[in-house]
Structures are given as C-alpha cells and as structure tokens.
Amino acid sequence: MPCPAMRESVRRFWGRLRPRLLLALPVLLGLASLGFGVSAWRADSANRSIAALEAGTDLDVGIGAPAPVLVARIGYLAGHGRLEETEPLVAALDRAGAADAASRARYRIANAQMREAFGLLTRGALDKAGPQVTLARQDYRRALRDRPDFWDAKFNLDVASRLIRDFPDFDRASGDEMRAEPKQIWTDIPGQPRGGP
C-alpha cells in the first residue's frame, strides 16, 4: 500500500500534467487527421491516375510517381507500342527497390513484345519476329528473377521458348542460353515418355 506522501506526490504531478495533456491532445489529433487526410488524397490521386491510364488516356507521370502508377504508365506505353519510353520508368522502379512492381512492369513489356512478334509472324516476317521473342524471353526471365512465384510469367516464358523451337528459322546466335534441337521438341512435352511420341 503506497504511503500518503507518495500519493500526494503523484496527485501533484498529475495536477501539473493534466492541463498540458488537455492542450496537447487536440493538437496531436489535428496533426494525425492532417496526415491521414494527405495520405488519403495521395491514394485517391494515384487511383485516379491508374484508372485514367487503364482507360486509355495518355497521362504523363514523373519517375517519382508511386510504383502502381508507374506500372500503369508502363502498361499504357507497352500497349501502344512505345516500348522505348518504358526504360526510364522501369529503371525508376529498380532504384526504388519495388521488386514486385518492376516484375509486373517487365511482364507487361514482354507481353507487348510477344504481341508484336505474333503480328510479325502472321505477316510472315520470321526474321523480324525472332528478336522480339528473344527480348520477350529476357524480360519474362527478369520478371521471374524479381518474383519467382509469378505463374503467368512462367507460362508465357514457356510459350515464348517453345515458339523459338517451333520456328527453327529464327536466328539461334542471339545469345539466348535456352536451346533445343528441332528433332528433340517432342521430348520437352510434359507427360510424354522418352522414346517414340
């Protein structure tokens, strides 16, 4: 049981502290509200930018924009065939250490390169399609380096790798390390036993 002198000391301390707390509390709550308000405004601004870019509006964002906005901008540029403009944005994501966002950005770039390659293939331009597929494969690998569990990138890398083997006229001296002989394509099919197909 505390002694009367201790109780008196605590009561005097609380008496001096209480008016200061009553004055400081509204200021602290006001600052917290202001911080939450600014954070909500930034999030709303980023969401509006992402929605505008995904709706097809050409919205120029700086390299200091939040990572999701940069990914949306990269997706817009890649979808409109402006791949050279994506390089500084991906570099900004790398510098910021946003590995997940950089992975999604590289995936979108690789998809744009594959769409271009498929367009070239339908027009019969095999020589021009090969480098696009090789670039796409490299970007899919970079996306997987940043995010190894990215299943869509794994699947698309597999499609791009098989596309190169299905069209042996592509230049194989491009420095891509995954090579297979055309005679051995059937051995890569999952579930097929070695021997005859």
Side-chain angles (χ1 to χ4, degrees):
M1 185 162 179
C3 67
M6 177 76 85
R7 276 189 270 162
E8 184 61 30
S9 172
V10 168
R11 191 171 41 166
R12 270 189 271 136
F13 176 73
W14 177 248
R16 284 189 306 238
L17 185 62
R18 188 172 63 171
R20 292 179 184 152
L21 282 176
L22 290 175
L23 287 175
L25 190 59
V27 172
L28 292 174
L29 290 175
L31 289 174
S33 298
L34 182 64
F36 287 130
V38 168
S39 177
W41 176 78
R42 284 183 181 160
D44 183 57
S45 175
N47 287 340
R48 279 187 275 123
S49 297
I50 291 169
L53 287 164
E54 289 179 352
T57 304
D58 188 6
L59 182 66
D60 191 20
V61 298
I63 60 172
V69 176
L70 290 177
V71 172
R73 175 68 175 161
I74 289 168
Y76 172 84
L77 293 171
H80 288 83
R82 296 163 55 184
L83 294 175
E84 64 281 349
E85 295 177 48
T86 64
E87 292 172 12
L89 301 177
V90 174
L93 289 172
D94 286 337
R95 280 192 306 274
D100 185 61
S103 177
R104 288 184 285 126
R106 285 190 174 94
Y107 173 74
R108 289 185 173 195
I109 292 169
N111 284 347
Q113 291 163 335
M114 285 300 291
R115 280 191 299 273
E116 187 174 336
F118 282 126
L120 291 167
L121 286 173
T122 58
R123 291 191 299 272
L126 294 178
D127 293 338
K128 293 179 182 177
Q132 289 301 318
V133 174
T134 301
L135 289 172
R137 288 168 58 169
Q138 291 171 354
D139 280 322
Y140 286 133
R141 284 194 181 102
R142 288 182 190 135
L144 287 169
R145 181 193 64 211
D146 292 334
R147 192 172 146 201
D149 62 338
F150 198 171
W151 191 88
D152 290 341
K154 288 179 186 179
F155 181 83
N156 288 2
L157 174 61
D158 184 56
V159 170
S161 297
R162 290 175 189 269
L163 186 64
I164 288 281
R165 289 191 306 247
D166 289 344
F167 288 94
D169 293 339
F170 285 161
D171 180 19
R172 293 185 173 268
S174 60
D176 206 359
E177 67 272 2
M178 293 185 67
R179 298 174 191 251
E181 293 302 318
K183 297 177 195 172
Q184 298 173 347
I185 292 174
W186 62 269
T187 61
D188 293 337
I189 300 172
Q192 289 292 329
R194 293 195 177 262

